[in-house]
Structure formats: C-alpha cells, structure tokens
Amino acid sequence: MGRLTFENKHRLLRVNESDCFIYTCGGTLKGKNGTIESPGYPHGYPNGANCTWVIVAEERNRIHIVFQSFAVEEEYDFLSLYDGHPHPANFRTRLTGFQVPAPVTSTGSVFSLRLTSDFAVSAHGFKIYYEELQSSSCGNPGVPAKGILNGTRFNVGDRIQYRCVPGYTLDGHAQLTCVTSTSNVAAWDFPVPICRAEDTCGGTFRSSSGVISSSDFKNDYKNSGECTWTIVADPGDTISLVFTDFQMDNKFDYLEVEGSEPPSIW
C-alpha cells in the first residue's frame, strides 16, 4: 500500500457577527487508496458546511470512487464532483438525497469533491472509498440494488455478468466488457444495468447515462399499461435520447417525449 498524505483543515468562521457559522473541512489526499467521510459521519454533518477534498493520483493514473453510504438533505445540501481541481470548468455532477450513487471514475489524475450544506436540516452524511486505477483498469462498476455481479477482474478484455434476485428483472445489458476507449483509457462498454421489480415500470433517473426499456423488453409489453420515466440532468445540461429498438402498435399505443418543444409523440 502506498503512502497516504492527508492535510486536514477544519474550523468555524463567524459570519457578519451573527449567530451563523460556516464549518470548513477537507484537504488533499495522496495514496493508492483511502476513505473519505463527511464530518460527523454517521451522526450527521454540521449545518453551514463547506468542505472540499482533492484526491491526487500518480501521473497517468485515474481515480475510482465508490460510495459506501450516502445521505444528505435532498435539494438543500449537495456533494459536487469535479473531474480535476474544484473549478467550474471541471464540474461533473451534483449529488443530493438518500440514494447511494453509482461508482465514478475520473478521466485524469485529480478528482475533487465539495460538500455544501445550508443552515437547517442535515443527514448522516457519506462514506466513500477511493483507489488509483492504472490506464488498463476499468475499476469495479458496482452492483445495482437487488442485483448480483459475477466477475472479479476489471482490466481491459475482462467481462462481467449481472443478474437480479428473484422478483426483479434486469433493465440494460447483462454483460459488460472492459474496453479501451477512443481517448486510450479503459472504460466499460455499457452502463451498469438496474433491477426493476416485476410488473412495474417507470422511474426517475439521475445518472449521467443509462438505459431505459419497456417492461419485459424483448417480449410483448402488457396491455393497458402506462409508464413514466423522468430523466433529471444538472442545471445547464441537456439530455440526449438514442433509440436502439422501437416497435409498438402504430394505431393504439404511443410513446410521448416531453421536455422538447413541442412534445414529441411516437
């Protein structure tokens, strides 16, 4: 295991002589792997927090982030991720709520996280494991809720398989392969699938990419069905849909896409 260097900094700053405080923390982390916890985890992070962690890997290596626990006050407290130093040009996504996010891999040797909270309610916070990845490794892509991952090797050329526990069906690709991307770094060829309860459809998607399919895809969907999928992007971002398969009754069934101007009906 490599040497871990952590520069800790946390203090309370009084704001305009009022009774409000800003809690700052974070630091720079160097080493092959390590763990980041929000201040006070798991008993709750402070209000008015502004904490930034910068992870620095060896040159040409990347950084792989795995969320082991995540709970922040939804829509009021946020964990912002930066693919590089914490600069607006490197902003990647902003996380909030109580759902454990999927693993994240940087494109370079620096990755940053910034926790910001308001002056009211908090939650138990988060715990994150990080590790350095060589250019030939895709990293563990994680396991979806109610899912099972078969495979323990994540280098270029390796394949892994997903399946769901009984009562759930797989939505997405069952097999992922670690390939070399156009930028000459290792990456999985498809997003991690999700497991949906049988006889249900629809949902809300917040990840940067994913797969949506009709219920019991590859077989006929059921009659009298009504499913709604909502895709949420970060402010200022746009959403692109690419249809890979499409077949419906052209007289009585339809798919309506809202959010465009005007709505599209297929």
Side-chain angles (χ1 to χ4, degrees), residues 193-224:
I194 60 175
C195 292
R196 294 194 180 280
E198 294 177 352
D199 299 325
T200 63
C201 64
T204 300
F205 297 80
R206 295 180 179 270
S207 58
S208 58
S209 64
V211 177
I212 295 176
S213 62
S214 56
S215 58
D216 200 20
F217 178 64
K218 297 296 185 183
N219 298 312
D220 292 341
Y221 53 83
K222 295 182 179 180
N223 296 323
S224 302

Side-chain angles (χ1 to χ4, degrees), residues 32-46:
K32 295 296 183 182
N33 52 56
T35 301
I36 298 175
E37 295 181 354
S38 55
Y41 177 85
H43 304 294
Y45 52 85

Side-chain angles (χ1 to χ4, degrees), residues 105-120:
T105 303
S106 68
T107 59
S109 59
V110 178
F111 195 83
S112 303
L113 308 92
R114 174 171 291 162
L115 169 67
T116 54
S117 63
D118 64 4
F119 292 95

Side-chain angles (χ1 to χ4, degrees), residues 41-190:
Y41 177 85
H43 304 294
Y45 52 85
N47 295 321
N50 188 348
C51 303
T52 301
W53 296 267
V54 179
I55 307 171
V56 181
E58 293 183 6
E59 188 176 358
R60 297 183 181 179
N61 285 355
R62 294 171 297 149
I63 300 162
H64 187 62
I65 303 290
V66 178
F67 291 87
Q68 298 178 329
S69 178
F70 187 86
V72 301
E73 185 189 11
E74 189 164 10
E75 302 303 336
Y76 292 96
D77 301 339
F78 302 95
L79 181 66
S80 300
L81 307 183
Y82 297 85
D83 198 358
H85 289 283
H87 185 275
N90 298 327
F91 177 78
R92 182 156 177 175
T93 190
R94 187 173 65 175
L95 305 174
T96 187
F98 302 91
Q99 183 175 352
V100 176
V104 179
T105 303
S106 68
T107 59
S109 59
V110 178
F111 195 83
S112 303
L113 308 92
R114 174 171 291 162
L115 169 67
T116 54
S117 63
D118 64 4
F119 292 95
V121 180
S122 70
H124 79 242
F126 56 82
K127 183 176 182 179
I128 297 171
Y129 173 79
Y130 70 88
E131 64 176 340
E132 286 193 25
L133 293 182
Q134 295 183 346
S135 59
S136 60
S137 175
C138 287
N140 188 335
V143 184
K146 305 299 182 180
I148 298 172
L149 168 63
N150 293 323
T152 58
R153 295 177 59 85
F154 312 115
N155 295 322
V156 171
D158 291 331
R159 293 181 173 86
I160 57 175
Q161 298 280 344
Y162 284 98
R163 58 189 175 90
C164 299
V165 300
Y168 289 78
T169 58
L170 197 71
D171 190 348
H173 292 267
Q175 178 175 284
L176 273 62
T177 303
C178 183
V179 299
T180 301
S181 68
T182 55
S183 56
N184 204 33
V185 296
W188 295 107
D189 57 347
F190 293 107

